[in-house]
Amino acid sequence: MTDHPLPAAAVPNWLSRLNAPQREAVLTTEGPVLMLAGAGTGKTAALTHRLAHLIRERRAWPSEILCVTFTNKAAREMRHRVGQLIGEAVEGMPWLGTFHSICARMLRRHAELVGLQSSFTIIDTDDQLRVLKALIQDQGLDEKRWPPRQLAGLIDGWKNRGLNPDDLTPIDNEAYANGRGQQMYRLYQDRLKALNACDFGDLLLHMLNIFRTDRSVLEQYQNRFKYVMVDEYQDTNAVQYLWLRLLAQTRKNICVVGDDDQSIYSWRGAEVANILRFEKDFPGAKVIRLEQNYRSTPQILAAASGLIAANSQRLGKTLWTELNAGEKVRVIGVWDAPEEARRVGEEIERLEREGAPLDEIAILVRAQYQTREFEDRFIQIGLNYRIVGGFRFYERAEIRDALAYLRVIAQPADDLAFERIYNQPKRGLGAKALEAMHRHARRMGMPLAAAALDIADSDELPARARNTIGALMADFLRWRDMAESVTPSELLRTVLAESGYDAMLKADRSAESAGRADNLVELARAMEDYATLPDFLEHVALVMDNENANEGEKVTIMTMHAAKGLEFNHVFLPGWEEGVFPSQRSLDEGGLASLEEERRLAYVGITRARRRCTILHAANRRIYGQWTSSIPSRFIEELPEETIAVETTLTGGASLWRANWSESEDPFAHVARDRPDRSQQRGPGWQRALSTGYETKPARVAESTRSAASFAAKPRTDITVGARVFHDKFGYGEVVAQEGNKLEIAFEQAGTKRVIDSFVKLA
């Protein structure tokens, strides 16, 4: 039986602030309900009022309601708002929380059914990788070819799909180590049980398995929960969907809230099909559309609605608002990415002069690497900004690694940089090797790089470690020679390739590795604007120093994925070009389904704006030192003409973006061919090395020869041939030969060894 909404006169006072569809969603308590809530339509208000209504009207005790969110923050907010509505603190709601927290609570009660004890440990990502690494080694697999992180990603994906080891398909099995995916997954699960542990994916998978195999446990929870409510239903993955469907099958009092037009997380397992088939899963479900938008102007809503209408897989709704019409969505064409950043900076400065708070301005990008141009530009003009949902460009791990290599090349006395990358990527140089380098460096007052070169020509470490260190130092000497004859960006690409860093990223098949590679490509592009490596490193230092320098209001820079659920008065959407947005990688890997998700992401981006939305596209992007012509994103073509205002700074091509770009291979070729290539403009040759006495000198002063001799240490004068000495590792011996700071010593127990004089003392 389904409740019917009360007539307006009978609406309780505490519901009077809701609009008619919101009240209907609150008061329709019996049977399945799909609350299809568009962007900015007050779905949180409807959801919290519904939960408060169930408690207030005594339809269920708080402990009889299952309310699932995706974040702890959302759960806390819901608990707080419900408390405000019913006039008291909401106590006794143990089943309001995230999927993982609720399943963890359930699993503690039934752990023995999956071979665990109730005191099981939930391991984090680092522990998971350590377990997988040990298993890979036990099985004799090549860790470099089949890295633990890749296997962790596969296992996480299988668990998100609700698959146990026996459920894997032949294709799944072939995804790791040439057909050993199932075996490794099974070994991993067995190892976790032996440790009385589970990972986050297990929390849901174990409970799904329990529900499927133990009818009494399932019925216990089906009877307990009189009502089930789910927020952000469009973001559920397969295992979450299966778990919820089992729980709600008896009473069918399930209310899900979501927006199929904002399903943008397929890369982490979300399936938009879950919300699209809700009516099929629960026949007779009532669909309530929340379409009145309280956030954006009619022009912004019309543009977003016109764009998303191009998607075929959607339930459909039409957003509207009572706000004034407002400005049209601006579409601005610029020459290239640097001009794009300059134009946005100018627009923000204009808004600031007009009194707009910087906190109400956002730049939403498709990919993290796009933030770099804006960061550099804002540093130049002194505009405060923050990066949300990620690190600043130059703070990302892969960027800091690359910069560390460059710092050692530019100034070998930079111990912090050398220590960061001496074993990155992994070279088998552990703590003992680093300890030996530090010990020698301290004794001789030399940098780590020089100590490493010394140790490579001694018996202080095992042969394998010595050879590895020697090869690394030979690379640095070669790169320093190369730095005088190539551009800084060419040097970086060589270093990333020859150091094995590129190969490491290619071997890492996690979702993050592609973005890390893109960031390094963008770093190389950034370096093309600088004549010398020291110039670029000095610029980076200034950017990094800005982190704590600026206080007060700041412009927000973030990805569109991270912006979901947020809103700003003024939104800038740069990079709307084919291959950038929609992403070429998404199109190549996912086809039509990925294109529709990219379009949903564009819809999310536009609907973050309250008052003004500005879309930008560039005629050219500079990739690997070459100017590449770009065509505007197909999403621009899909915006209703009556909702947009077109501007361009391109000469001779102001209307090209509106042309049928699909019939033109290169609409901007006429303007790109004569673009000057500044990558060939370099300053005079330069070189860096350690001074003879290993004193750290200013970057532009410390000049000497670029050879192994530049690392030579001063020999000790108190040790000569025939001296009796003691070595911590080899014991007592007699010096039989001496060459600089290298000694050949006949040890009483260890035989003849070649050691560095700083490691011995007179006996």
Side-chain angles (χ1 to χ4, degrees), residues 389-519:
F391 295 104
R392 288 172 175 247
F393 183 81
Y394 294 109
E395 292 175 345
R396 293 171 184 133
E398 63 276 8
I399 300 300
R400 294 182 77 99
D401 288 344
L403 292 175
Y405 274 101
L406 297 175
R407 285 163 54 188
V408 174
I409 293 171
Q411 176 53 278
D414 192 333
D415 285 359
L416 292 177
F418 184 79
E419 187 170 345
R420 181 180 180 92
I421 49 80
Y422 82 99
N423 196 37
Q424 178 68 352
K426 302 298 182 184
R427 300 184 174 90
L429 298 176
K432 290 184 178 180
L434 182 60
E435 181 184 351
M437 287 185 281
H438 269 299
R439 188 164 63 247
H440 183 51
R442 286 193 302 268
R443 287 174 176 171
M444 298 304 297
M446 63 170 60
L448 278 178
L453 193 62
D454 262 359
I455 288 176
D457 190 28
S458 75
D459 291 326
E460 301 293 346
L461 293 172
R464 181 177 178 181
R466 295 199 308 270
N467 293 337
T468 300
I469 293 174
L472 177 62
M473 298 315 299
D475 285 340
F476 272 113
L477 290 167
R478 185 177 69 260
W479 295 331
R480 193 172 306 135
D481 280 334
M482 182 185 299
E484 183 153 324
S485 58
V486 302
T487 64
S489 59
E490 290 171 319
L491 176 64
L492 173 63
R493 295 184 187 110
T494 299
V495 169
L496 293 176
E498 294 183 355
S499 68
Y501 206 96
D502 282 341
M504 177 188 72
L505 290 183
K506 289 178 181 177
D508 181 1
R509 302 183 188 180
S510 65
E512 297 81 13
S513 62
R516 296 177 67 194
D518 287 342
N519 288 337

Side-chain angles (χ1 to χ4, degrees), residues 214-370:
D214 195 312
R215 186 70 187 178
S216 63
V217 175
L218 175 60
E219 290 177 348
Q220 173 187 335
Y221 288 102
Q222 288 175 334
N223 293 330
R224 171 188 292 272
F225 300 130
K226 292 183 177 180
Y227 297 96
V228 176
M229 299 173 63
V230 189
D231 193 14
E232 303 287 6
Y233 191 67
Q234 79 281 347
D235 293 334
T236 54
N237 59 32
V239 70
Q240 292 164 343
Y241 161 80
L242 294 170
W243 178 80
L244 285 166
R245 194 176 66 174
L246 283 173
L247 280 172
Q249 280 304 315
T250 299
R251 297 179 183 271
K252 294 184 170 55
N253 288 337
I254 180 172
C255 174
V256 301
V257 184
D259 183 3
D260 54 323
D261 291 335
Q262 296 188 73
S263 179
I264 57 174
Y265 297 121
S266 67
W267 47 274
R268 65 186 190 195
E271 296 188 8
V272 68
N274 294 346
I275 193 171
L276 296 176
R277 65 180 173 222
F278 183 81
E279 293 176 273
K280 182 178 179 180
D281 290 334
F282 297 95
K286 189 177 187 71
V287 179
I288 301 173
R289 287 175 167 80
L290 304 187
E291 298 174 309
Q292 183 176 359
N293 180 281
Y294 295 94
R295 175 190 300 159
S296 306
T297 64
Q299 294 283 18
I300 292 172
L301 293 181
S305 297
L307 171 64
I308 200 62
N311 271 7
S312 59
Q313 297 297 312
R314 61 190 298 261
L315 296 171
K317 59 188 171 302
T318 303
L319 299 184
W320 62 276
T321 181
E322 295 179 345
L323 298 176
N324 294 329
E327 299 180 8
K328 291 185 176 182
V329 173
R330 289 196 302 166
V331 177
I332 301 177
V334 296
W335 175 259
D336 57 14
E339 183 178 344
E340 182 179 61
R342 287 195 297 272
R343 181 64 184 269
V344 171
E346 291 168 0
E347 294 285 336
I348 292 175
E349 288 180 314
R350 178 181 62 80
L351 289 172
E352 191 177 20
R353 288 194 299 271
E354 294 174 357
L358 292 183
D359 286 342
E360 288 297 339
I361 302 173
I363 300 169
L364 308 182
V365 298
R366 172 61 183 87
Q368 286 278 5
Y369 72 84
Q370 290 176 262

Side-chain angles (χ1 to χ4, degrees), residues 578-631:
E578 288 293 301
V580 178
F581 190 42
S583 158
Q584 192 61 49
R585 182 180 291 114
S586 294
L587 298 181
D588 291 343
E589 296 177 358
L592 180 60
S594 286
L595 174 60
E596 295 214 341
E597 179 159 331
E598 290 283 287
R599 189 176 287 112
R600 292 194 292 270
L601 187 58
Y603 172 85
V604 167
I606 293 174
T607 56
R608 298 312 93 195
R610 295 193 193 103
R611 299 291 173 263
R612 289 190 182 95
C613 180
T614 303
I615 295 170
L616 299 101
H617 64 94
N620 302 276
R621 292 278 172 186
R622 200 172 187 182
I623 302 175
Y624 292 114
Q626 300 297 320
W627 287 101
T628 302
S629 297
S630 303
I631 56 177

Side-chain angles (χ1 to χ4, degrees), residues 631 659-667:
I631 56 177
N660 188 356
W661 52 264
S662 61
E663 297 178 1
S664 174
E665 291 183 1
D666 190 356

Side-chain angles (χ1 to χ4, degrees), residues 374-383 385 542-543 546:
F374 296 99
E375 293 185 63
D376 284 358
R377 179 59 184 170
F378 292 172
I379 290 296
Q380 292 174 7
I381 64 177
L383 187 64
Y385 70 92
L542 293 174
V543 172
N546 181 69

